[in-house]
Amino acid sequence: MKRLTAAVLALLLCLGLAACGQKKVDRQDAAAVVSAYFDALKAGDIDAAVTYLEDDSAVTLEQSERDMLKKLYSKLEYEIEGKASMVSSTESEVKVKVTAANIQDMYQKAQSLYMTVGVGGEGEDATLSAEDQQKVMQDAVDSVLENGLTTSENEVVVGLTLKADGWR
């Protein structure tokens, strides 16, 4: 679960590392690149979203993690606030208001369900195998995702650098 939480937080924190857009996105428009990144997340296209990160080779996810991220990001809403501002000739910033699932709340609810179901047995023989613990935790996360999450709204500033192949 630590790995999963780290992956989710890494993707959320990587907003500052938004990468260049795909060919259909005007590479000179930093706001369009940021918008395309959020659109990919919202659509559940994790692979496309990762291409917008400066170091897309650092993100490797198992299918269960991808499925969970798709569910989380399906609730994502964002609004680009104004136009991109040029910090220098090769650096730009884009202000974005992001409303997304509250990851901390999700984790706390899932952990509570896990503790109730996963380790709630009696006696020393009630210990679950690592595989069973993973399944119980995944079921707990799925239950929280299906039964509603709280959302939080944050204003973020996405910093981009203009490289030879576009904004990163």
Side-chain angles (χ1 to χ4, degrees):
M1 189 62 200
K2 287 182 183 178
R3 181 175 162 203
L4 178 60
T5 302
V8 170
L9 292 175
L11 282 175
L12 290 174
L13 295 175
C14 284
L15 295 176
L17 300 175
C20 61
Q22 296 175 354
K23 293 179 183 178
K24 65 182 179 182
V25 175
D26 179 5
R27 292 175 185 266
Q28 298 304 314
D29 188 353
V33 172
V34 173
S35 184
Y37 169 74
F38 281 109
D39 287 343
L41 284 179
K42 186 172 177 144
D45 191 348
I46 305 303
D47 292 328
V50 168
T51 66
Y52 291 93
L53 303 178
E54 188 170 8
D55 183 9
D56 60 0
S57 65
V59 179
T60 56
L61 300 170
E62 294 179 15
Q63 188 58 45
S64 63
E65 294 167 328
R66 288 174 179 274
D67 292 343
M68 185 182 76
L69 289 174
K70 285 178 185 179
K71 289 177 186 176
L72 280 172
Y73 291 133
S74 69
K75 312 242 186 266
L76 176 77
E77 296 293 333
Y78 74 93
E79 179 183 339
I80 304 288
E81 298 183 333
K83 293 185 176 186
S85 60
M86 295 300 292
V87 176
S88 72
S89 62
T90 59
E91 295 179 348
S92 182
E93 291 181 341
V94 179
K95 292 182 182 179
V96 185
K97 184 174 12 174
V98 180
T99 303
N102 184 326
I103 303 297
Q104 182 178 5
D105 182 54
M106 182 208 67
Y107 181 75
Q108 288 174 341
K109 287 178 180 177
Q111 189 68 30
S112 177
L113 284 169
Y114 171 76
M115 295 302 288
T116 302
V117 176
V119 294
E122 296 182 18
E124 292 181 25
D125 296 334
T127 303
L128 296 174
S129 68
E131 185 177 308
D132 287 341
Q133 288 178 12
Q134 176 87 12
K135 172 133 179 45
V136 169
M137 186 54 146
Q138 186 61 49
D139 290 346
V141 168
D142 289 343
S143 175
V144 170
L145 289 172
E146 290 169 12
N147 294 316
L149 285 172
T150 60
T151 58
S152 61
E153 185 177 294
N154 297 293
E155 290 188 12
V156 297
V157 177
V158 180
L160 298 104
T161 302
L162 185 59
K163 304 286 185 176
D165 59 347
W167 290 104
R168 298 187 153 273

